[in-house]
Amino acid sequence: MEEIEVVVAHRERATLRVGEVFLKVDADQARTDVEVEAMGRAPIPTPPVLWRKPPVLAIGAVPGVALGRLGEVSGASAAAWRAAGATVRRLHDAPLPPWPGRGVDEVAARLNAECEWLLANDALPAGLVAGNRRIAEVALRPWRPAFIHGDLQVAHVFVNGDEVTGVIDWSEAAPGDAHYDLATLTLGHPERLGDVLTGYGADADVDLELIRAWWSLRSLLVVRWLAENGFDPALPGCEVDVLRAQLKGDVE
């Protein structure tokens, strides 16, 4: 008899695995709508949708293993990281999805609110918040929208050897800044950025300062959510360490 594995569970959604089937339960069906349509539109490997009966979405497993995990050294090859970069480029070059994404003003408002919360609750040292906020604000400028995944964590990209076999968790997909996906993929793995950009393509207009800005911005935005949902952003190599590294100049 196959056992039920709880892959992730928090107040907004839960994912269960039964054999090669993943059952995703989401409190917000609009997110599931986005996930299903984004996977259908993305010109890259995605999990197969098996069936949907709200609030449950059943999808099939993708072959291979995650490219890496935040807080852990990635065992994937340089070629696999280059393949990930090429895969992301195909997504960014695809036609935009028809639903709106977050604009600069919305992101700026979220950054302001999260920084205020971090300081009011003594969640992080004031200097760490202020220094990273200065870095993050570089990303707050108009961008040419691309089809972005929106939550392209390294654990959401699966590879088999040097080949990308699937990208999972599409509920945040939307038009947005391509630099955000590149930053999210390499968050905590700055040493892999060169490989990703090689695969992404030398002809791309990529600004390293903007990637660094998104490293700070994403980390500041998620610390509260992680803490409130049972995750620890202060684990070695995770978001708080990323924020510290930003100020030490330890990222390339």
Side-chain angles (χ1 to χ4, degrees), residues 9-57:
H10 48 77
R11 291 181 297 179
E12 296 178 1
R13 67 191 71 142
T15 301
L16 309 177
R17 180 172 187 171
V18 185
E20 293 302 298
V21 177
F22 289 83
L23 303 175
K24 305 187 72 171
V25 184
D26 200 312
D28 183 354
Q29 286 304 290
R31 280 195 296 256
T32 306
D33 292 341
V34 166
E35 179 157 18
V36 171
E37 186 165 353
M39 288 192 293
R41 290 175 175 271
I44 62 176
T46 63
V49 175
L50 303 178
W51 51 264
R52 182 181 181 190
K53 187 175 182 180
V56 181
L57 170 67

Side-chain angles (χ1 to χ4, degrees), residues 34-44 46 87-99 143-152 170-182 200:
V34 166
E35 179 157 18
V36 171
E37 186 165 353
M39 288 192 293
R41 290 175 175 271
I44 62 176
T46 63
T87 299
V88 177
R89 178 64 182 276
R90 289 200 301 275
L91 176 65
H92 290 171
D93 285 346
L96 295 176
W99 54 89
W143 54 70
R144 186 177 69 179
F147 186 169
I148 68 168
H149 179 278
D151 191 20
L152 197 65
W170 288 82
S171 61
E172 303 298 324
D177 185 2
H179 289 85
Y180 180 59
D181 271 354
L182 294 170
Y200 195 76

Side-chain angles (χ1 to χ4, degrees), residues 2 16 35 39 54 69-70 118 159 190 193-194 197 219 232 240 242 249:
E2 292 179 320
L16 309 177
E35 179 157 18
M39 288 192 293
R69 302 281 179 186
L70 185 60
L118 293 170
V159 296
L193 179 58
L197 295 184
S219 298
D232 187 357
V240 176
V242 170

Side-chain angles (χ1 to χ4, degrees), residues 66-145:
L67 186 63
R69 302 281 179 186
L70 185 60
E72 300 177 9
V73 176
S74 170
S77 67
W81 282 87
R82 291 194 294 268
T87 299
V88 177
R89 178 64 182 276
R90 289 200 301 275
L91 176 65
H92 290 171
D93 285 346
L96 295 176
W99 54 89
R102 292 173 180 155
V104 176
D105 290 343
E106 181 180 353
V107 176
R110 285 192 61 206
L111 177 63
N112 184 61
E114 293 305 314
C115 288
E116 287 183 354
W117 184 91
L118 293 170
L119 295 173
N121 290 274
D122 293 322
L124 292 176
L128 189 64
V129 174
N132 275 278
R133 182 170 184 169
R134 285 194 297 271
I135 296 170
E137 286 174 344
V138 172
L140 302 178
R141 86 289 173 219
W143 54 70
R144 186 177 69 179

Side-chain angles (χ1 to χ4, degrees), residues 160-196:
N160 184 5
D162 299 337
E163 177 185 359
V164 174
T165 54
V167 179
I168 66 172
D169 286 357
W170 288 82
S171 61
E172 303 298 324
D177 185 2
H179 289 85
Y180 180 59
D181 271 354
L182 294 170
T184 304
L185 179 62
T186 56
L187 187 77
H189 298 275
E191 74 284 356
R192 299 292 194 165
L193 179 58
D195 291 324
V196 169

